[in-house]
Amino acid sequence: MSVAEGSVRGVLAANLKRVRTQRGLSLSELSRRSKIGKATLSQLESGTGNPTIETVFSLSRVLEVPISDLVDQRPSAGVTVIRATDVEVLSGKGVDLRPLRRIESGGSVLEIYDQQVRASCTQESLGHIGSEHTVVQIGRLGVQVGGREVELGPGDYVGFDAAMPHSYTALDGPVRSVLLLHYQAEQRLHPTGPGLDACCPGVPARPPLQDTAPS
Protein backbone atom coordinates (compact mmCIF):
# COMPACT_ATOMS: atom_id res chain seq x y z
CA MET A 1 0.00 0.00 0.00
CA SER A 2 1.55 3.31 -1.07
CA VAL A 3 1.47 6.35 1.18
CA ALA A 4 1.30 9.91 -0.12
CA GLU A 5 4.52 11.71 0.82
CA GLY A 6 2.75 14.74 2.28
CA SER A 7 -0.08 12.91 4.01
CA VAL A 8 -0.41 12.83 7.81
CA ARG A 9 0.28 9.08 7.74
CA GLY A 10 3.35 9.50 5.57
CA VAL A 11 4.82 12.37 7.58
CA LEU A 12 4.10 10.65 10.91
CA ALA A 13 5.70 7.43 9.67
CA ALA A 14 8.99 9.17 8.91
CA ASN A 15 9.01 11.45 11.95
CA LEU A 16 8.01 8.80 14.48
CA LYS A 17 10.78 6.45 13.41
CA ARG A 18 13.31 9.31 13.44
CA VAL A 19 12.38 10.51 16.93
CA ARG A 20 12.14 6.98 18.35
CA THR A 21 15.60 6.19 16.96
CA GLN A 22 17.01 9.43 18.44
CA ARG A 23 15.65 8.31 21.81
CA GLY A 24 17.25 4.89 21.45
CA LEU A 25 13.89 3.21 22.04
CA SER A 26 12.75 -0.09 20.57
CA LEU A 27 9.17 -0.49 19.40
CA SER A 28 8.56 -2.74 22.41
CA GLU A 29 9.83 -0.11 24.87
CA LEU A 30 7.86 2.68 23.22
CA SER A 31 4.79 0.47 23.34
CA ARG A 32 5.30 -0.12 27.06
CA ARG A 33 5.72 3.55 27.88
CA SER A 34 2.92 4.86 25.65
CA LYS A 35 0.51 1.94 26.26
CA ILE A 36 0.02 1.75 22.48
CA GLY A 37 0.22 -1.75 20.98
CA LYS A 38 3.48 -2.70 19.29
CA ALA A 39 1.58 -3.78 16.17
CA THR A 40 -0.12 -0.37 16.03
CA LEU A 41 3.22 1.43 16.35
CA SER A 42 4.69 -0.75 13.60
CA GLN A 43 1.79 0.18 11.32
CA LEU A 44 2.24 3.88 12.10
CA GLU A 45 5.95 3.71 11.25
CA SER A 46 5.20 1.91 7.99
CA GLY A 47 2.54 4.46 7.05
CA THR A 48 -0.30 1.92 7.02
CA GLY A 49 -1.91 2.87 10.33
CA ASN A 50 -4.66 5.40 10.94
CA PRO A 51 -3.37 7.87 13.56
CA THR A 52 -5.88 9.49 15.91
CA ILE A 53 -5.48 12.58 18.08
CA GLU A 54 -5.26 10.37 21.16
CA THR A 55 -2.43 8.32 19.66
CA VAL A 56 -0.42 11.31 18.46
CA PHE A 57 -0.80 13.19 21.76
CA SER A 58 0.23 10.08 23.70
CA LEU A 59 3.37 9.70 21.58
CA SER A 60 4.12 13.41 21.96
CA ARG A 61 3.81 13.12 25.74
CA VAL A 62 6.02 10.04 26.05
CA LEU A 63 8.66 11.15 23.53
CA GLU A 64 8.55 14.72 24.91
CA VAL A 65 8.37 16.48 21.56
CA PRO A 66 5.90 18.99 20.12
CA ILE A 67 2.99 17.53 18.17
CA SER A 68 4.37 19.10 15.01
CA ASP A 69 7.64 17.19 15.41
CA LEU A 70 5.53 14.13 14.60
CA VAL A 71 2.94 15.32 12.07
CA ASP A 72 4.40 18.43 10.44
CA GLN A 73 6.19 18.76 7.13
CA ARG A 74 8.40 21.85 7.07
CA PRO A 75 6.89 24.60 4.87
CA SER A 76 8.94 26.26 2.15
CA ALA A 77 10.24 29.79 2.59
CA GLY A 78 8.28 32.82 1.44
CA VAL A 79 4.52 33.37 1.53
CA THR A 80 2.66 30.38 2.93
CA VAL A 81 -0.99 29.89 1.98
CA ILE A 82 -2.82 26.86 3.35
CA ARG A 83 -6.29 26.07 2.01
CA ALA A 84 -8.69 24.38 4.42
CA THR A 85 -9.64 21.82 1.80
CA ASP A 86 -5.99 20.85 1.29
CA VAL A 87 -5.26 19.99 4.93
CA GLU A 88 -5.73 16.42 6.10
CA VAL A 89 -7.84 16.15 9.26
CA LEU A 90 -6.50 14.48 12.39
CA SER A 91 -9.53 13.22 14.33
CA GLY A 92 -10.13 12.09 17.89
CA LYS A 93 -13.15 11.03 19.93
CA GLY A 94 -14.63 14.52 19.90
CA VAL A 95 -12.32 16.81 17.95
CA ASP A 96 -11.15 17.32 14.36
CA LEU A 97 -7.81 19.13 14.03
CA ARG A 98 -6.30 20.63 10.91
CA PRO A 99 -2.61 21.48 11.42
CA LEU A 100 -1.99 24.81 9.69
CA ARG A 101 1.47 26.08 10.57
CA ARG A 102 4.53 25.51 12.75
CA ILE A 103 6.54 28.60 13.66
CA GLU A 104 10.01 28.43 15.26
CA SER A 105 11.57 31.46 16.93
CA GLY A 106 14.33 31.80 19.49
CA GLY A 107 14.33 28.08 20.25
CA SER A 108 10.61 27.93 20.95
CA VAL A 109 7.87 26.45 18.76
CA LEU A 110 4.32 27.65 18.09
CA GLU A 111 1.80 25.33 16.40
CA ILE A 112 -1.41 26.68 14.87
CA TYR A 113 -4.46 24.44 14.39
CA ASP A 114 -7.98 24.86 13.10
CA GLN A 115 -9.99 22.97 15.73
CA GLN A 116 -13.59 21.79 15.60
CA VAL A 117 -15.25 20.11 18.56
CA ARG A 118 -18.13 18.00 17.31
CA ALA A 119 -21.64 18.66 18.65
CA SER A 120 -22.33 17.11 22.07
CA CYS A 121 -18.82 15.62 22.16
CA THR A 122 -15.96 15.84 24.66
CA GLN A 123 -12.27 15.52 23.89
CA GLU A 124 -10.09 14.61 26.86
CA SER A 125 -6.31 14.84 27.23
CA LEU A 126 -4.10 13.44 29.98
CA GLY A 127 -1.76 16.35 29.40
CA HIS A 128 1.32 16.98 27.29
CA ILE A 129 4.28 19.33 27.15
CA GLY A 130 3.86 23.02 26.36
CA SER A 131 1.15 25.58 26.97
CA GLU A 132 -2.24 25.53 25.26
CA HIS A 133 -4.23 28.49 23.97
CA THR A 134 -7.70 28.47 22.41
CA VAL A 135 -9.76 31.26 20.85
CA VAL A 136 -13.39 30.36 20.16
CA GLN A 137 -14.82 31.50 16.85
CA ILE A 138 -18.23 29.80 16.70
CA GLY A 139 -20.29 28.06 19.39
CA ARG A 140 -20.10 27.54 23.16
CA LEU A 141 -17.09 25.65 24.50
CA GLY A 142 -16.77 24.06 27.94
CA VAL A 143 -13.16 23.78 29.10
CA GLN A 144 -12.04 21.76 32.12
CA VAL A 145 -8.46 22.04 33.37
CA GLY A 146 -7.20 20.47 36.57
CA GLY A 147 -10.70 20.24 38.06
CA ARG A 148 -11.74 23.78 37.14
CA GLU A 149 -14.39 24.52 34.52
CA VAL A 150 -15.00 27.60 32.37
CA GLU A 151 -17.41 28.29 29.54
CA LEU A 152 -16.32 30.24 26.47
CA GLY A 153 -18.23 31.93 23.68
CA PRO A 154 -17.20 33.50 20.36
CA GLY A 155 -14.16 35.74 20.80
CA ASP A 156 -13.26 34.31 24.22
CA TYR A 157 -9.77 33.00 25.00
CA VAL A 158 -8.38 30.48 27.47
CA GLY A 159 -4.75 29.58 28.16
CA PHE A 160 -3.18 27.04 30.51
CA ASP A 161 -0.25 24.72 31.19
CA ALA A 162 -0.95 21.78 28.88
CA ALA A 163 0.72 19.36 31.32
CA MET A 164 -2.50 19.39 33.36
CA PRO A 165 -5.28 16.98 32.34
CA HIS A 166 -7.84 18.93 30.33
CA SER A 167 -10.89 18.54 28.14
CA TYR A 168 -13.02 20.44 25.63
CA THR A 169 -16.80 19.97 25.35
CA ALA A 170 -19.14 21.38 22.68
CA LEU A 171 -22.03 22.69 24.77
CA ASP A 172 -24.47 23.83 22.10
CA GLY A 173 -23.78 22.45 18.63
CA PRO A 174 -20.31 22.21 17.06
CA VAL A 175 -17.56 24.59 18.15
CA ARG A 176 -15.00 26.12 15.82
CA SER A 177 -11.83 27.55 17.34
CA VAL A 178 -8.17 28.32 16.77
CA LEU A 179 -5.83 26.17 18.87
CA LEU A 180 -2.27 27.31 19.59
CA LEU A 181 0.33 25.07 21.23
CA HIS A 182 3.49 26.74 22.48
CA TYR A 183 6.67 24.96 23.52
CA GLN A 184 9.69 26.56 25.19
CA ALA A 185 13.17 25.44 24.19
CA GLU A 186 13.74 23.63 27.51
CA GLN A 187 10.57 21.56 26.96
CA ARG A 188 11.88 19.97 23.77
CA LEU A 189 14.03 16.94 23.07
CA HIS A 190 14.90 16.02 26.66
CA PRO A 191 17.54 13.29 27.04
CA THR A 192 16.42 9.70 27.08
CA GLY A 193 16.16 7.96 30.42
CA PRO A 194 13.77 7.21 33.28
CA GLY A 195 12.23 10.67 32.95
CA LEU A 196 10.32 9.51 29.88
CA ASP A 197 8.04 7.52 32.17
CA ALA A 198 6.81 10.72 33.77
CA CYS A 199 4.20 12.95 32.19
CA CYS A 200 6.26 16.06 31.57
CA PRO A 201 9.58 16.28 33.47
CA GLY A 202 11.25 19.64 33.20
CA VAL A 203 7.97 21.53 32.70
CA PRO A 204 7.73 24.62 34.94
CA ALA A 205 5.34 24.65 37.89
CA ARG A 206 1.74 24.57 36.75
CA PRO A 207 0.05 27.97 36.81
CA PRO A 208 -3.67 28.30 37.58
CA LEU A 209 -6.15 28.40 34.74
CA GLN A 210 -6.56 31.94 33.48
CA ASP A 211 -10.03 33.22 34.33
CA THR A 212 -11.39 34.40 30.99
CA ALA A 213 -14.86 32.91 31.35
CA PRO A 214 -17.72 35.16 30.22
CA SER A 215 -19.82 36.65 32.97
Side-chain angles (χ1 to χ4, degrees):
M1 178 180 180
S2 62
V3 180
E5 183 178 344
S7 69
V8 169
R9 287 189 300 173
V11 172
L12 176 62
N15 288 342
L16 176 57
K17 186 172 184 178
R18 172 179 54 80
V19 176
R20 179 178 64 79
T21 301
Q22 289 174 344
R23 289 290 189 271
L25 295 175
S26 65
L27 278 175
S28 296
E29 181 62 13
L30 181 57
S31 174
R32 183 186 71 82
R33 296 183 180 188
S34 66
K35 295 180 172 56
I36 299 172
K38 182 179 177 180
T40 298
L41 292 175
S42 180
Q43 290 175 341
L44 291 177
E45 286 198 359
S46 66
T48 60
N50 292 309
T52 65
I53 289 175
E54 291 83 6
T55 298
V56 173
F57 271 67
S58 178
L59 291 171
S60 167
R61 183 173 63 253
V62 171
L63 294 171
E64 295 183 320
V65 294
I67 306 299
S68 59
D69 273 8
L70 297 175
V71 300
D72 185 64
Q73 192 173 39
R74 301 294 185 268
S76 58
V79 177
T80 300
V81 176
I82 301 174
R83 305 294 182 187
T85 55
D86 295 336
V87 180
E88 193 171 349
V89 176
L90 184 62
S91 295
K93 291 181 179 178
V95 166
D96 296 315
L97 285 182
R98 291 178 174 82
L100 298 178
R101 187 67 192 270
R102 169 191 171 110
I103 302 171
E104 297 191 45
S105 177
S108 66
V109 174
L110 179 68
E111 300 171 354
I112 306 173
Y113 297 88
D114 171 39
Q115 175 177 258
Q116 181 167 322
V117 185
R118 296 189 291 275
S120 302
C121 288
T122 296
Q123 183 71 40
E124 298 180 340
S125 172
L126 294 176
H128 49 87
I129 62 171
S131 59
E132 191 155 330
H133 309 266
T134 295
V135 180
V136 175
Q137 297 171 298
I138 300 172
R140 308 293 297 182
L141 181 67
V143 182
Q144 186 176 67
V145 182
R148 182 175 176 185
E149 298 182 19
V150 295
E151 181 178 324
L152 307 178
D156 291 338
Y157 158 87
V158 66
F160 52 88
D161 179 356
M164 295 185 286
H166 51 277
S167 67
Y168 292 136
T169 301
L171 301 175
D172 183 19
V175 176
R176 195 71 174 267
S177 62
V178 174
L179 171 67
L180 303 176
L181 299 180
H182 181 240
Y183 309 91
Q184 298 290 350
E186 64 270 17
Q187 294 174 311
R188 305 184 58 219
L189 297 177
H190 295 287
T192 58
L196 283 177
D197 285 322
C199 175
C200 299
V203 176
R206 299 173 180 177
L209 177 65
Q210 298 175 25
D211 189 357
T212 55
S215 59

